[in-house]
Amino acid sequence: QVQLVESGGGLVQAGGSLRLSCAASGSIFSRSYMGWYRLAPGKQRDLVADITSRGTTNYADSVKGRFTISRNNAKNTVYLQMNSLKPEDTAVYYCNTNPPIWDYWGQGTQVTVSS
């Protein structure tokens, strides 16, 4: 059974940085695309970045150039380095496969960016 646990969120000022981590139980990293998703108040949960099993990355236009997704398959962990944060980045951030699997959604980690 797969469990995904996000951590690293917090409250930062605009322009600041955070590094999110997603630790997995089980083993899905060697063969799965992994993504970071976010859910902002009043918004639909959307994909902000993903990474293939071999390390190829993709980013939403809104975060391109500011966020970096990476993965360590040996540790079953995926990361999201977030720089130059903006208030509009405020959301609960989740990791999951891409496409996401419903039963894999965890609690997420809150990121709040103040202006």
Side-chain angles (χ1 to χ4, degrees), residues 62-107:
S62 59
V63 307
K64 196 171 297 181
R66 300 187 297 118
F67 291 10
T68 303
I69 188 172
S70 61
R71 64 193 293 163
N72 187 324
N73 290 341
K75 296 181 178 180
N76 285 169
T77 303
V78 61
Y79 307 94
L80 186 68
Q81 178 67 47
M82 305 186 296
N83 299 324
S84 301
L85 283 162
K86 304 175 180 180
E88 51 263 45
D89 295 319
T90 295
V92 179
Y93 284 72
Y94 302 84
C95 63
N96 208 323
T97 56
N98 186 15
I101 296 172
W102 178 256
D103 287 346
Y104 289 4
W105 291 118
Q107 295 300 304

Side-chain angles (χ1 to χ4, degrees), residues 10-96:
L11 173 64
V12 298
Q13 293 183 329
S17 298
L18 286 171
R19 182 175 173 86
L20 308 184
S21 297
C22 171
S25 61
S27 183
I28 62 173
F29 283 78
S30 63
R31 59 183 178 178
S32 299
Y33 288 61
M34 294 297 299
W36 282 98
Y37 304 77
R38 66 186 181 187
L39 179 62
K43 302 288 185 64
Q44 185 177 355
R45 180 152 48 193
D46 61 343
L47 179 71
V48 299
D50 65 8
I51 185 167
T52 72
S53 60
R54 314 199 99 83
T56 301
T57 58
N58 181 65
Y59 300 93
D61 288 342
S62 59
V63 307
K64 196 171 297 181
R66 300 187 297 118
F67 291 10
T68 303
I69 188 172
S70 61
R71 64 193 293 163
N72 187 324
N73 290 341
K75 296 181 178 180
N76 285 169
T77 303
V78 61
Y79 307 94
L80 186 68
Q81 178 67 47
M82 305 186 296
N83 299 324
S84 301
L85 283 162
K86 304 175 180 180
E88 51 263 45
D89 295 319
T90 295
V92 179
Y93 284 72
Y94 302 84
C95 63
N96 208 323

